[in-house]
Amino acid sequence: SFGYDSHVILPPVDVSHCQVKQPGNRVLLINPDPIKGGEIVIAMAEQLPHIPFVIQESWTSNAQLHSLRARAKAIGNVEWRKPVMDIRTAFKDARILLAPSQCGESWGRVATEAHFSGIPVIGSDIGGLTQAIGSGGIRLPHDAPVEHWLQALDQLWDDDQTWQHYSGLALDYSKRPEINPEIQVEKLQSLLRTLIASNSR
């Protein structure tokens, strides 16, 4: 409406703030809010008692997480963690990241962060999360039955060759130019220079 072309610059991620040595030995969910898929992950953990899960809160618990936390503690294979400033403390234990979001995310920062460490993502094919996961994991419809999420997890957890394949894809995907901070800054500066020049004519 203002006569300008629209351009997208993806959220910048500082690799040094999220990259860890791999592989970990747990399945990780960051932010267990139901709209982020917390209900799905708890249901998965209940059916897979042999797999260790970590549920990492993103902020201080709200009322709707109380019942989920109680269910998690009753299962026995879920470690529920309080919010942390350094997300590497969560990623260092992760072999697989779950992101079964139920909302149309504008982006999926956790997927990008996981990819820098070669951590494959199993997540929803919805909104910007689709692009964030890309080839670095397995995408499912957000409303897929829990059986489909279990099957995807079985693929990556039980077959090391499959995990290695997706881990390599995750690392490759993390090297794409559009999430390189230096290139992002250069693009922003170029767009601003073009905009200033067009307004000074």
Side-chain angles (χ1 to χ4, degrees):
S1 60
F2 295 98
Y4 299 117
D5 293 332
S6 295
H7 299 268
V8 174
I9 297 177
L10 301 177
V13 176
D14 187 336
V15 180
S16 67
H17 289 177
C18 57
Q19 193 173 46
V20 295
K21 294 181 179 180
Q22 279 297 300
N25 59 358
R26 302 188 185 188
V27 175
L28 172 67
L29 169 69
I30 296 176
N31 190 356
D33 193 295
I35 202 170
K36 297 288 190 176
E39 295 273 4
I40 293 172
V41 174
I42 293 296
M44 294 172 70
E46 287 173 333
Q47 296 191 47
L48 298 169
H50 63 290
I51 294 179
F53 286 75
V54 169
I55 292 182
Q56 177 68 62
E57 288 187 14
S58 293
W59 49 74
T60 304
S61 299
N62 53 43
Q64 62 184 327
L65 297 185
H66 291 172
S67 62
L68 283 181
R69 191 191 305 110
R71 283 174 62 190
K73 289 183 177 180
I75 300 170
N77 61 329
V78 178
E79 181 184 353
W80 188 289
R81 297 179 180 175
K82 294 181 180 180
V84 293
M85 292 300 295
D86 188 346
I87 198 60
R88 289 175 296 182
T89 63
F91 281 126
K92 69 181 178 62
D93 296 322
R95 182 174 179 82
I96 298 165
L97 176 74
L98 295 177
S101 181
Q102 298 300 291
C103 63
E105 309 274 2
S106 58
W107 188 247
R109 182 185 181 89
V110 292
T112 302
E113 292 174 333
H115 287 163
F116 285 124
S117 301
I119 301 172
V121 182
I122 302 174
S124 298
D125 198 359
I126 188 172
L129 188 54
T130 298
Q131 184 185 358
I133 297 171
S135 59
I138 299 173
R139 292 171 289 163
L140 299 173
H142 75 282
D143 56 355
V146 68
E147 289 77 18
H148 291 187
W149 294 97
L150 292 169
Q151 290 169 8
L153 182 54
D154 282 342
Q155 264 189 277
L156 290 182
W157 186 264
D158 293 333
D159 187 339
D160 188 62
Q161 190 171 3
T162 299
W163 183 88
Q164 292 286 353
H165 171 72
Y166 277 103
S167 176
L169 290 176
L171 283 172
D172 289 344
Y173 197 57
S174 74
K175 297 172 184 175
R176 62 197 190 282
E178 58 265 35
I179 62 169
N180 182 308
E182 292 184 4
I183 294 176
Q184 289 173 324
V185 170
E186 289 174 3
K187 181 177 180 179
L188 177 60
Q189 291 174 335
S190 175
L191 290 171
L192 290 174
R193 285 194 295 268
T194 300
L195 181 61
I196 292 171
S198 66
N199 285 332
S200 62
R201 291 171 186 167

